[in-house]
């Protein structure tokens, strides 16, 4: 059937005349040291630039679009119809986070452009200038000559002032799980890294000079610049094409199965393009600009959303001690066509109970169980649409018995939904999967998208998958289900709008030390300046057995000291923190494990003590609703001393500080498990001297002294 | 996350040695006049040929595949491991159909091939030879070196013996709604037709020499040959590439979004490739081979599946008398953001009740209502994923009131689900849509897929959509819902396996006479030999107002006489037949409408009286469970007389025959509404002389004479 379409052409006649010029076709906005300048070129092309303390950060840079239709040009021939300026200063409270309340303070300019000639299209550019940076986005107003349209190219550019040092990963449409490269802008070439990263399931990086955001930059004159995006909804992820000669970065949108970038319907808006800048590295880690550029929570009752630590039947599979699958092959069947177990299935009821006991004993709220459901014999790498049904447990996983057992121990089980990239299959089964969860007492789920995406041809980071995750967040909220996504696009602060989307992987996690050659000691000092700028990461810290954990690769080892694993609970912010290692490995270091028992996952306040991307980071954080503080400090491959002033403590109040430090001779490579634990009394005037071993760290828990200090607890000097 | 995959390599060692040769590497099978020959070439390439009455129909032709993996060759280097021969002769009863029972009588050979060299892959070819033709399919057995695999090319060829006359439509991945071309094989070039067919929403025909199946052929020596496929499941539709010099046809599979053809997992099988052949055209229309090659019904309790005639709020939109949408534009909203009605919305409760009254008065079981649900303002042509939700009626469509009204009149409403091609959206909402149907008393649904498919890049006729329809059929069966699909791939006899999938459009229907320049008079004489060979078509016959029905194109007219519209209820077999015209147009010819009141939609028996593709067809069919017979005869643009012997009537029994004939001077172009109705007594010895006007037809209802013939009813001479 195709039927006659009778159209009734309503004409916006008043809007189809040549527009009147506004008084001025430029804007200048400043907040603190940050300034934004906008103007139209003689040709009517929008350009913006950014300054910090009078110094140029972004030179005049292009804006606009190429569309797919006949009138494809939407980047020039504009006049300014109107410029609306306003400002805002508000504070809001996140459902969970690094701080209890967040100030949202900016000046805004809405620049309404219209094309001088037919089709007289409208485009509005919204700028917001904060003390820590600039955000801008495009708005396509409702208008007569732009209804449904396809974006072929976004022209947003970020023209840098020099050949900055860059911390980058390849611009890959399907993964963010690369090691970081630290090079000059003029040296960005991702080909070697893409070829070498055979430990990543799917790699699609057609442009050798493309990088992902958040992109961390440092200029020769000491400016720290971070470029990313905020509120990525109904649009593909933005990557950046690097011009190695002009040091210009241009938006490179992840294409869909047929090469289009975005399907939009006016009125529409893009995500925010963000530039955070300071002359002090810690300021970037303190920035809440990306969160502020996201919309408030769409969930009104958020009481059911709970940050937590969780253990899990997971690391033992990562190190091939057990398997996700019940059998080794889908076709090893008995006479009745039932799978013949391989005897190594991790998610069997007894083993799960072992983890539940471990969690209950140590005050860990959750237990994740992977490999609980049928399909794992044959789940990976076949671009197969119907792999998992998400509702059928393996016969040795007694879902009802475990529900009761976990409840009796005050522990909650965390569901796992691996989709093997088949988002269409998950979409179709989501309701039944969520109903199954609620029927069996599950309130949160970890999802995975390993492998090529179905719909075939769609990449992990394109508009279709962005919309899939928005569907997921909204539907899960309807069931009061929280989730964290693995192999998703990297976050852009959407956890403000969807606080039930608590974390994502979307980066190279601790797990690479299990099944791969791992990540160098500097890795965790770069992540806060890159991947974490967009939102929490499920990094899975807390590995205590530093060597010899992998039978088929005995040479493998962690690339940190044990103490650095503790410090990660503070430096790698997430409302979900895995207690990733095996219970028996924690039992071997129960004194050090005390820090993991104590450290919370939700905070009233956060102070960045010291930070330099690629070298070190140190945070102090105050437990939500308590007077306890926790410090985490980590270094790269170099040993160093970091001084941590405790000036943030309450004046005149005494505290006990338990310091978990790298032991004498500790070294990530040769002696990773050497640590020492000392307790002192401290106060606001104390300055801790934290000595970090190569690849090491320090972790400190600070609690108010309620009684006199116990004997043998000296004052810190 | 990507984790270590530990594989346990089970070796089928006995199967990896060089296979032993079977006695013979050829087969010959015959049934009646049809013979099949199979042999392996010296190179070990499988070849088959088909003969009819000793005459070659298909010359030795290639078989096999090119796969996508390293060992891509699966068409040569074979030896025969084993050939199993068997035969079958059974009779089965379809849930509904053209005859009460169907004989499935064939000889079968299963040829087990294995490659002589590594990877020693297995391929089985199954042949079935019937009295009316040959079917073959490929089976990929479970084997060590073929598990998941991708088909890049199927090599099945059909080497014709000459430059046959062909009745064909372009090999288009997205539509079957073309006019038929009648040319020599050597003249097949679809470019002009594809370009000219601007009345088809989406056209994708990259190969100018590709045609669709069912392909109807006629050889110079009078053989009628039909090539198609049966049981199209989990595989793309097969089209045929025509070599215009060698007269060789080769399988051309519809590719997916990334250019692959089929994703299979051994053990697997392809659909059957079918060759129906006879020296008499009627034999092809009597063939049940395609049905016999499909699996029996997967639905055990089929009592809820009901053939029916249905009226509908539909033609009035096709002729632009009313609209599917409530408003003309999505953005014509009142102060409360509600759509401002255009005053022409067809699916308003009062109008629907008018159709319910019409159906009740005339014994028509169903009433289809299109345009009942929100979304139509803006549904088409934007490749938009979220158009309809399938559960939200327009405010002027009172779903509860109409449910009660229809029930009180003994009429059932038929649901309509237009997806606008967004199969992902429909997949996600199918359960809620079907629940909504059951809650509101709907038992059947008409679906539509107008526009480009989403997942973007997937064609209408690729494997992904084939699987979508299988999901639909199974899920609908679970809700005891019957359906017919528009813009689906053309049928392949799956209505045997899924009797709730009652019809499809998948061809150029009567509607083209409303919104397009229509189809020539020969069109309906070709369809039974092409499109209908695979299964029932929702052709929507019964238009009585032959001219001036379309206000915006007053020159439009039907390309048949009125009587031919009656005859189509018999010649165009379907268990669902629309009574397509407006009630007022039937009222204007109530005497002729009596035939539509009388004609059933389910049959005990079918006789093909006369048939020649492109010229004429005439059927007699016996009403299911009754002694009534109905005859339909149609012709192309030429007038002709067809003699219809009533020898099928019961011996010694008297009947009254009501003959609806073209009237004096009737002509589809100049005088389409001229008709005459006469009643006679007839018996087994009667031979009706049916005079068909240009573009005309004849319709006859024959009922047993229970009392003496009423006065004035003469004996037919």
């Amino acid at each position: 059937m195709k039927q006659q379409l009778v159209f009734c052409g309503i004409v916006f006649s008043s809007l189809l005349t040549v527009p009147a010029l506004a008084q001025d076709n430029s804007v200048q906005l400043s907040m603190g040291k940050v300034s934004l300048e906008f103007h139209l070129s003689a040709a009517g092309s929008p350009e913006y630039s950014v300054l910090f303390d009078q110094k140029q950060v972004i030179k005049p840079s292009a804006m606009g679009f190429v569309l797919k239709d006949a009138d494809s040009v939407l980047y020039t021939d504009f006049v300014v119809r109107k410029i609306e300026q306003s400002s805002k200063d508000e504070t809001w409270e996140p459902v969970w986070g690094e701080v209890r309340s967040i100030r949202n303070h900016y000046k805004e300019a809405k620049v309404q452009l219209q094309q001088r000639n037919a089709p007289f299209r409208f485009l509005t550019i919204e700028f917001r200038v904060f003390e820590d940076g600039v955000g801008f986005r495009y708005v396509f107003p409702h208008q007569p000559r732009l209804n449904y349209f396809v974006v072929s190219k976004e022209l947003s550019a970020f023209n840098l002032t020099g050949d900055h040092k860059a911390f980058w990963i390849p611009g890959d449409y399907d993964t963010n799980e690369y090691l970081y490269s630290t090079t000059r802008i003029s040296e960005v070439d991702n080909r070697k890294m893409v070829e070498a990263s055979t430990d990543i399931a799917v790699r699609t990086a057609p442009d050798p000079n493309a990088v992902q955001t958040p992109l961390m930059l440092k200029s020769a004159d000491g400016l720290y610049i971070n470029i990313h995006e905020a509120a990525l909804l109904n649009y593909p992820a933005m990557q950046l094409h690097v011009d190695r000669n002009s040091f210009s970065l241009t938006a490179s949108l992840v294409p869909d199965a047929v090469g289009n970038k975005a399907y939009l319907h006016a009125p529409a808006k893009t995500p925010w393009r963000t530039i955070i800048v300071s002359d002090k590295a810690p300021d970037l880690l303190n920035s809440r600009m990306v969160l502020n550029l996201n919309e408030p929570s769409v969930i009104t009752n958020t009481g059911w959303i709970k940050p937590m630590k969780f253990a899990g039947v997971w690391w033992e599979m990562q190190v091939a001690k057990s398997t996700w699958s019940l059998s080794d092959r889908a076709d090893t069947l008995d006479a009745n066509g039932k799978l013949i177990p391989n005897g190594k299935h991790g998610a069997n009821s007894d083993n799960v109970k072992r983890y539940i006991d471990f969690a209950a004993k140590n005050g860990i709220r959750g237990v994740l169980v992977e490999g609980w459901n049928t399909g794992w014999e044959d789940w990976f790498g076949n671009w197969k649409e119907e792999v998992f049904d998400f509702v059928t447990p393996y016969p040795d996983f007694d879902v009802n018995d475990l529900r009761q057992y976990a409840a009796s121990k005050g522990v909650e089980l965390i569901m796992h939904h691996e989709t093997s990239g088949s988002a269409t299959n998950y979409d179709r089964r989501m309701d039944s999967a969520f109903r199954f969860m609620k029927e069996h007492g599950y309130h949160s789920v970890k999802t995975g998208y390993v492998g090529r995406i179905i719909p075939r041809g769609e990449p992990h980071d394109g508009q279709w998958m962005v919309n899939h995750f928005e569907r997921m967040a909204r539907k899960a909220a309807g069931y009061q289900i929280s989730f964290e996504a693995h192999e998703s696009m990297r976050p852009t602060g959407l956890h403000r709008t969807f606080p039930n989307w608590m974390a994502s992987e979307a980066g190279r996690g601790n797990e690479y030390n299990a099944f791969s050659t791992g990540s160098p000691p500097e890795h965790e000092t770069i992540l806060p300046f890159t991947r974490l700028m967009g939102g929490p990461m499920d990094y899975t810290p807390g590995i205590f057995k530093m060597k010899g954990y992998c039978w088929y690769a005995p040479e493998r080892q962690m690339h940190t000291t044990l103490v650095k694993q503790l410090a990660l609970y503070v430096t790698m912010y997430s409302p979900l923190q895995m207690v990733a290692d095996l219970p028996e490995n924690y039992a071997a270091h129960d004194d050090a494990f005390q820090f993991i028992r104590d450290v919370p996952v939700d905070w009233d306040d956060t102070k960045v003590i010291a930070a330099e991307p690629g070298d070190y980071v140190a945070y102090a954080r105050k437990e939500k609703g308590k007077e306890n503080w926790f410090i985490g400090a980590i270094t790269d491959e170099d040993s160093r001393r970091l001084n941590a002033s405790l000036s943030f403590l309450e004046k005149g109040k005494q505290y006990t500080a338990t310091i978990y430090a790298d032991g004498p001779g500790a070294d990530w490579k040769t002696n990773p498990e050497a640590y020492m634990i000392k307790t002192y009394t401290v106060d606001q005037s104390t300055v801790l001297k934290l000595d970090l071993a190569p690849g090491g760290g320090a972790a400190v828990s600070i609690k108010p002294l309620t009684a006199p200090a116990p004997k043998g607890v000296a004052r810190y000097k």
Side-chain angles (χ1 to χ4, degrees), chain A residues 615-661:
Chain A
D615 295 341
Y616 56 86
V617 293
Y619 289 84
R621 303 189 194 264
K622 180 166 175 293
E623 183 171 4
K624 184 158 269 179
K626 300 246 177 84
E627 292 307 309
N628 306 327
W629 286 80
F630 294 81
I631 294 174
I634 62 170
T635 180
D636 59 2
E637 66 284 358
D638 298 327
S639 66
R640 69 185 77 234
R641 166 172 289 190
L642 293 178
N643 292 322
S645 158
L646 304 189
S647 56
F648 48 76
L649 295 179
E650 198 178 316
K651 196 156 198 282
K653 199 163 179 178
Q654 294 292 307
Y655 297 79
T656 49
T658 306
I659 302 174
Y660 302 76

Side-chain angles (χ1 to χ4, degrees), chain A residues 315 319 321 510 513-514 542-551 554 556-562 565 580-582 584-589 672-673:
Chain A
W315 186 253
V319 299
K321 199 162 165 290
N510 220 11
N513 291 302
I543 301 305
F544 271 23
K545 186 169 173 54
M546 311 305 283
K547 294 185 175 190
Y549 42 75
C550 192
W551 62 264
R556 285 208 186 138
Q557 66 169 95
M558 303 304 290
H559 295 67
T560 71
T561 63
L562 185 148
Q565 290 289 320
D581 209 341
L582 312 179
E584 52 268 40
N585 295 337
Y586 290 125
H589 301 287
E673 294 184 15

Side-chain angles (χ1 to χ4, degrees), chain A residues 313-507:
Chain A
V313 182
W314 177 74
W315 186 253
E316 62 179 71
M317 283 91 89
Q318 292 293 354
V319 299
K321 199 162 165 290
S322 66
T323 60
W324 279 267
S325 61
L326 180 68
S327 180
D328 288 328
R329 293 173 51 103
D331 54 10
T332 49
L333 306 172
D334 67 17
N336 308 321
K338 288 202 157 55
L339 284 169
I340 300 168
N342 62 12
K344 296 183 292 148
H345 181 223
N348 67 79
S349 293
D350 291 346
N351 196 39
V352 173
K353 287 180 180 177
R354 200 167 62 88
Y355 281 87
I356 292 171
D357 295 341
F358 165 72
K361 178 159 163 268
N362 296 289
I364 296 164
R365 182 190 183 90
V367 171
L368 167 72
V369 185
E370 296 199 3
W372 70 277
N373 60 326
T374 58
W376 287 94
E377 284 67 26
D378 190 351
W379 70 285
F380 174 74
N382 301 309
W383 223 0
K384 179 182 179 181
E385 185 157 13
E386 305 273 331
V387 180
F388 297 104
D389 70 6
F390 312 104
V391 297
T392 309
Y394 277 122
D396 59 349
F397 180 89
D398 186 332
V399 63
N400 292 315
D401 177 42
L402 287 169
R403 179 210 179 139
Q404 286 157 16
Y405 190 81
S408 74
K409 300 275 186 159
V411 169
E412 73 175 53
L413 290 173
I414 298 171
M415 174 55 68
H416 182 234
H417 290 161
E418 175 55 52
T419 68
S420 68
S422 182
T424 49
N425 179 50
Y426 192 38
D427 267 332
R428 293 191 294 262
R429 299 175 184 272
M430 213 175 261
D431 275 298
S432 56
F434 288 171
R435 278 196 300 270
F436 180 89
M437 282 177 63
K438 300 308 274 189
E439 286 161 16
H440 296 91
Y442 291 81
H443 309 304
S444 55
V445 57
K446 169 184 174 179
T447 63
Y449 295 80
V450 177
R452 284 176 293 179
I453 292 296
I454 300 179
R456 296 188 180 95
E458 295 290 346
H460 279 72
D461 292 357
Q463 184 187 24
W464 197 92
M465 284 302 290
V466 167
N467 289 338
H468 169 79
F469 279 102
E470 183 179 355
R471 280 195 300 273
M472 168 89 186
R474 293 181 185 277
K475 193 181 279 289
Y479 286 88
Q480 298 204 335
I481 285 172
S482 301
F483 71 104
E484 63 139 325
H486 283 226
E487 299 82 35
S488 64
M489 69 285 311
R490 78 281 186 274
T492 58
L494 284 169
H495 50 293
R496 180 181 181 187
T497 310
F498 303 107
N500 63 322
W501 187 353
M502 299 186 76
S504 303
E505 182 187 43

Side-chain angles (χ1 to χ4, degrees), chain A residues 48 112 139 207 262-263 397 423 479 510 532 560 576 613 641 666 683 704:
Chain A
Y48 78 100
Q112 296 179 26
V139 176
D207 176 358
Y263 302 83
F397 180 89
Y479 286 88
N510 220 11
L532 270 65
T560 71
L576 300 177
R641 166 172 289 190
D683 63 23

Side-chain angles (χ1 to χ4, degrees), chain A residues 123-183:
Chain A
L123 178 66
T124 296
I125 306 178
E126 298 184 357
F127 293 95
R128 290 187 187 172
V129 180
F130 301 77
E131 285 180 348
D132 48 355
V134 171
F136 67 85
R137 70 176 171 185
Y138 302 91
V139 176
F140 305 90
H142 176 58
Q143 56 190 289
R145 300 293 171 82
L146 194 67
N147 185 22
Y148 287 94
F149 60 102
V150 174
V151 173
S152 297
K153 190 170 175 34
E154 178 182 327
L155 301 179
S156 303
F158 307 83
N159 296 335
L160 305 177
T161 57
D163 190 8
H164 301 339
K165 181 200 231 183
F167 301 84
W168 58 272
I169 56 174
D172 191 304
Y173 300 162
D174 281 295
T175 182
N176 288 261
E177 298 186 15
Y178 287 100
L179 278 174
Y180 285 90
S181 301
T182 307
T183 73

